Amino acid sequence: MDENPAPSACSAANTEEMTGIEQPGTSGATACSPEPAVAAAPSGSESKTVSTQISSLLWGGKIKPDVFRRWLQGFSFSDREPSALVQRDGGPCCVIAPVQAYLLKILLMESPAHSFNELTADKCKTLLIQAVCQILMKCKTDVYRIVTLEDATERTVGPSDDTRDVGQKDSNAGEEPSDPGVDTHDAALLHPSTLGRTATANPNTWTAEAFHEQIRFREHGHIDEVQKFYAQNFHVLSDECGVLLLLYTVLQTKGLEHILSEMSDPSESLIHDTYGCGSQALINLMLTGRAVPHVWDNEQDVGGMKLKGINQQSDIGFITVMEQLQYCTVGFFYKNPKNPVWVMGSDTHLTVLFSHEQRLVSPETPGEIARRVFRQFDPDGSNFIPGPVLQDVLCTLELVSEPEYVELMRSRLDPENLGIILLNAFMSEFFPDEKKSTPDTFDLLHYNGIPNSNYGNVVQYSRGQAVLLESDVRMCNPSDPMLTCLQTKWPTIEVNWSGNRTPSLN
């Protein structure tokens, strides 16, 4: 696992049916590329060249052959776990894990736990297409721009002298990749008679230049057209370039101008040029449709700079062990998604946590809202606030906030005049009958797409039973990254994993 995402860790979330079909009246009208605008074309219209600026934003000025090769993988399912995607190499988890998360979101609403292993291959393909469509719906600005490969039989063999679509030629382009691949499915569909010639003793090899010369996009106005396209051309997702083609589809559908407007540093590439991992902006784009670079709620003013975070409750959550290490602060919108599915971040990889317990994402009780608001004014997590900000807390909670009343409450909550107000005293005064929406025990399942990170080197879900302890004291265990990450969401959680094997975050 040689991924190494940066430790720094989204909003047109349409209400979609589980078929993945977009609701009417949600498309925008903003052009999304600095190049000359192209009018929306009907399905099946002439293909168009992918923006070279998109490629530069994604990879930076130069694409290293070994980084590019790690991204050459399609979407495929585990032999042991029908609905679990397999990740071959480090790097593409920033695409594969969000797709897996949306797939599980759909599956959790359709199927009980015991039926997961009974899913057919056709059903899992349908789930994958639905997940892809839901991600694209969040990224759409005007039309869907589905990126595919031009005639696979015309692929450039070996290194190319033409660098027009990558910006700069690979210095090591002449090296033979360690894992060559042939898009034989594409070739068979487009020119069946030439398939034998394409897959002979000297098979074609994808280089970055060859790939960028071949990719084109076609425009679709509605998500049902996209769903139909992928159903009829599933190889676009499953063949060797499937993950990359989806990534470019997301970027083209979102549009360069929109992506740049949401990023803090447009000069920073979305894929790390050395490690091949995706930036937090790319992770957020895949999960929420917005390429913002941070994981806190809304905007924060840092030294006079407005730094953008997550602006509404997400369909899929995000938690990370990096928060415990104080590299970032994950906000309420990510920790409390609409569905009990969270992408989990370690320092090297992305995995997915999910549960059948819908009460984990039930609406907040008034007491839980009060705790969340209180902590907004307690950024250090010390469980107290300065006395002078009590009025701000009461205003935010829409409680009585007249100066005379606030002063009375301040003296009552701080009888020793220490200048601080404790969380427990605040809750006892304003929410004495506080109730919890979260159950004390619930099931958890964990997905890691890398075979070597799974028991028996086979991708399958790890199952555990969680319990929330009756304590306000967090038991930190630095040697257990899984527990450390879970405690950023549930501070008092303990989990008994099946077989006493704690799943790996890496």
Side-chain angles (χ1 to χ4, degrees), residues 13 99 152 154 166 212 244 285 329 339 344 349 373 423 493 505:
V99 172
E154 298 175 1
V166 198
H212 287 91
L244 273 177
L285 176 62
T329 299
N339 303 277
M344 302 182 75
H349 189 40
V373 169
L423 173 61
I493 193 172
L505 291 182

Side-chain angles (χ1 to χ4, degrees), residues 9 14 142 165 179 216 228 310 322 340 358 381 415 456 474:
N14 300 322
D142 49 2
D165 281 331
D179 186 22
R216 301 289 187 271
K228 181 179 179 181
I310 311 305
M322 306 310 289
Q358 289 294 324
R474 179 182 303 183

Side-chain angles (χ1 to χ4, degrees), residues 267-377:
S267 66
E268 181 179 344
S269 62
L270 294 174
I271 294 178
H272 196 284
D273 60 357
T274 299
Y275 302 108
C277 58
S279 68
Q280 189 63 51
L282 182 52
I283 297 169
N284 291 344
L285 176 62
M286 293 296 301
L287 290 177
T288 71
R290 298 177 69 236
V292 295
H294 301 288
V295 292
W296 51 53
D297 291 343
N298 301 311
E299 291 185 349
Q300 288 197 17
D301 190 320
V302 179
M305 295 179 60
K306 295 289 186 180
L307 302 182
K308 298 177 182 178
I310 311 305
N311 68 344
Q312 64 180 14
Q313 187 182 29
S314 176
D315 279 352
I316 304 296
F318 180 82
I319 55 177
T320 173
V321 71
M322 306 310 289
E323 182 175 25
Q324 181 68 21
L325 301 176
Q326 299 183 344
Y327 282 100
C328 64
T329 299
V330 183
F332 173 84
F333 291 146
Y334 251 164
K335 285 185 179 177
N336 299 274
K338 298 177 182 178
N339 303 277
V341 184
W342 294 262
V343 169
M344 302 182 75
S346 73
D347 57 340
T348 61
H349 189 40
L350 295 176
T351 58
V352 181
L353 179 80
F354 59 106
S355 175
H356 293 87
E357 180 53 78
Q358 289 294 324
R359 288 182 293 171
L360 294 178
V361 292
S362 58
E364 291 179 291
T365 65
E368 289 170 336
I369 295 174
R371 285 180 178 271
R372 171 168 59 83
V373 169
F374 190 97
R375 290 191 170 108
Q376 290 176 0
F377 294 87

Side-chain angles (χ1 to χ4, degrees), residues 69-97:
R69 284 197 296 269
R70 293 209 302 272
W71 276 83
L72 287 177
Q73 49 191 290
F75 290 97
S76 62
F77 291 97
S78 169
D79 294 333
R80 185 73 57 86
E81 196 79 60
S83 59
L85 296 169
V86 177
Q87 179 178 339
R88 189 189 68 204
D89 292 314
C93 64
C94 61
V95 173
I96 296 175

Side-chain angles (χ1 to χ4, degrees), residues 2-4 59 62-68 70-71 90-91 269 271-277:
D2 47 4
E3 296 175 67
N4 189 18
W59 301 99
K62 179 179 180 180
I63 309 176
K64 293 184 178 180
D66 62 322
V67 170
F68 185 77
R70 293 209 302 272
W71 276 83
S269 62
I271 294 178
H272 196 284
D273 60 357
T274 299
Y275 302 108
C277 58

